[in-house]
Amino acid sequence: MSLRNLPEIKAERLPTICAFEPDADALDRWNAGILAQQSPENTISILDVIGEDIWTGGGVTSKRVAAALRAIGDQEVFVDLNSPGGDFFEGVAIYNALRAHPHKVTVRILGLAASAASVIAMAGDEIQIGKAGFLMVHNAWVIAIGNRHDLYEAAKTMEPFDDAMATVYAERSGVKKSKAAEWMDNETWFNGEQAVKEGLADNFLPADQVAEDKTKAEAARSINATRRVDALLAKSGIPRNERRSLIGEVKRGMPDAAAHVTLDADDLKAAIEQLRSTIRS
């Protein structure tokens, strides 16, 4: 087990009427090019969205982290973290896997640890964060489809998830659970200094340990625009399959889209809205 007495998070999958989606604001703030200047061999890098990413075929899954832990074996582990979050259940599974490791786990928040990634960060026996880094906590949110009974079931199912996360944040920071729940209700962003002050991180990560791959950051802009639009449309209640279809049709209708990797998310969203209106008229 972890050196700290960290609480386990128990979470079963939501009903099939629900699906977790990344937070649009977190995607907007995320610089995918942030990485570690140097990392020990016994390091697990979590530098992507949490869970399988349909847009790239990538993403960080609990299976990948479990395999990395097996490969590292009987020694301490470093976790380099820069992620906008994603699938809550994958985040919980990764947290529990790190929590169960029998040696010290040091989490280094290089850039952003938002949503499900902030849950993963809490698995560290020691949490370091860059002064320019951010940590964001909020209630789990999903897209749910169905009648009132389905939606009631979804809401009831999510209650213990939020309670479990509030427990983890409270135990780490030393605040009352009600205070942690308030942070989550308000979707609270902590910069590096605030995270350390509130006890959500232990100390600062030296600036010279953080680097930026500008090529990777530039290449990620286009896909991040797509992810942001997908997240925004999800918040408007559009089902996943319809969102994928709409975005695909818009991209096929933009012959220059592939060439311009800096495709603006607002332009893409406007095009999708126009397409939706056409389809439904």
Side-chain angles (χ1 to χ4, degrees):
M1 297 294 290
S2 168
L3 302 183
R4 283 178 177 258
N5 184 24
L6 301 174
E8 181 182 7
I9 300 178
K10 295 183 179 180
E12 298 179 356
R13 287 280 171 182
L14 281 175
T16 55
I17 60 164
C18 300
F20 278 101
E21 305 293 343
D23 183 89
D25 191 23
L27 286 169
D28 191 33
R29 297 192 188 202
W30 180 47
N31 180 350
I34 297 295
L35 42 73
Q37 187 75 260
Q38 289 184 316
S39 296
E41 289 186 2
N42 50 327
T43 298
I44 299 174
S45 295
I46 300 178
L47 309 176
D48 205 341
V49 297
I50 306 303
E52 294 182 357
D53 184 3
I54 189 172
W55 299 113
T56 65
V60 180
T61 64
S62 56
K63 287 183 179 180
R64 175 192 152 190
V65 172
L69 284 170
R70 288 194 296 271
I72 290 172
D74 193 28
Q75 58 180 320
E76 69 174 309
V77 170
F78 293 87
V79 178
D80 287 347
L81 187 56
N82 178 37
S83 171
D87 188 312
F88 170 78
F89 290 102
E90 286 295 309
V92 166
I94 293 170
Y95 165 89
N96 284 329
L98 293 172
R99 169 185 171 273
H101 188 67
H103 296 279
K104 183 179 180 180
V105 175
T106 300
V107 173
R108 307 196 304 176
I109 301 175
L110 306 173
L112 175 63
S115 190
S118 72
V119 176
I120 294 172
M122 296 300 106
D125 295 300
E126 180 181 356
I127 302 173
Q128 301 174 355
I129 186 170
K131 284 190 176 182
F134 283 93
L135 187 145
M136 183 271 275
V137 303
H138 66 172
N139 293 313
W141 71 274
V142 299
I143 304 302
I145 302 171
N147 60 37
R148 61 186 174 88
H149 300 294
D150 295 323
L151 300 182
Y152 176 75
E153 179 186 0
K156 186 170 61 174
T157 303
M158 290 176 65
E159 287 181 5
F161 301 163
D162 290 338
D163 183 72
M165 285 193 294
T167 297
V168 169
Y169 297 134
E171 292 205 9
R172 164 63 67 172
S173 64
V175 302
K176 293 182 178 179
K177 186 192 287 189
S178 59
K179 180 63 176 180
E182 182 182 329
W183 288 341
M184 293 163 60
D185 286 342
N186 294 331
E187 187 170 293
T188 305
W189 288 80
F190 302 89
N191 62 28
E193 291 186 357
Q194 291 167 334
V196 171
K197 179 181 178 181
E198 295 292 351
L200 292 170
D202 298 301
N203 47 61
F204 296 117
L205 184 66
D208 61 4
Q209 293 189 28
V210 180
E212 180 181 4
D213 184 336
K214 293 186 178 180
T215 301
K216 181 180 178 182
E218 183 71 15
R221 288 184 186 178
S222 179
I223 191 64
N224 274 349
T226 302
R227 287 169 174 151
R228 285 167 54 203
V229 170
D230 188 43
L232 288 167
L233 294 180
K235 281 191 172 181
S236 71
I238 301 174
R240 174 176 290 185
N241 288 342
E242 184 178 351
R243 298 197 311 273
R244 303 296 189 264
S245 177
L246 288 171
I247 292 174
E249 288 192 43
V250 169
K251 285 191 169 183
R252 285 192 294 273
M254 291 180 171
D256 294 331
H260 297 289
V261 296
T262 56
L263 178 65
D264 186 80
D266 292 332
D267 291 341
L268 184 56
K269 183 183 178 185
I272 290 173
E273 291 299 332
Q274 183 177 1
L275 179 59
R276 286 181 61 210
S277 298
T278 301
I279 292 173
R280 294 181 177 179
S281 61

